[in-house]
Amino acid sequence: MTIADKKPTWNPDRLDVLALARAGGELGASDPIGRYARLSDAGVPGGADHGVIWRAQAELRGEGARAVPWLHLQANAVLSLTCQRCLQAVETPLEVDRWFRFVADEATAEAEDEDSEEDVLALEPRPSLRELVEDELLMALPLVPMHEECPAPLPLPARETVVEPAEDKPSPFAALAKLKR
């Protein structure tokens, strides 16, 4: 094998998106959920670890010097969350399927992101694909995780006990009524 035959290896933790797009390359991995600290913290401790599976594919759109790098990110994971009805663990599938357009720097990304429909990210500093995957999966978390049908019957609400006023005590307002006459 010659040097020309050797495929480049890409570092997902500090990705050169432009080079990956020029090569029409793609990356993917199946990582344990523990590798994503914020995502692990969002789940129930001791929940099942189904892992995080992700794939990123880059391409250039446009021609010549006007070509713009785009990244298609797909990711999925199953996270054990707390059901807000029965307070038991509920396995919650998370999915991400997004496109990102890349620009030269943070200032350009910030300026263009407000006016564009697509998500705009900066080429520099080089992004971490794993951080992007984690951010997107965190945004995919449901606001209120719940079972479709809870496995155990829900506890009944506590009954309110109404205290009846004692009849032998005179009302303070009755005394005011007598004064008014």
Side-chain angles (χ1 to χ4, degrees), residues 24 33 66 69 101-102 130 135 143 154 157:
I33 207 150
R66 300 182 86 127
R101 178 171 56 94
F102 283 82
R130 287 192 172 95
D135 289 345
L143 292 176
L154 299 176

Side-chain angles (χ1 to χ4, degrees), residues 17-18 20-25 57-62 67-72 99-100 102:
V17 177
L18 184 57
L20 184 68
R22 285 181 178 147
Q57 190 172 7
E59 64 183 44
L60 283 177
R61 292 185 186 173
V68 177
W70 285 75
L71 184 78
H72 184 211
W99 281 94
F100 299 93
F102 283 82

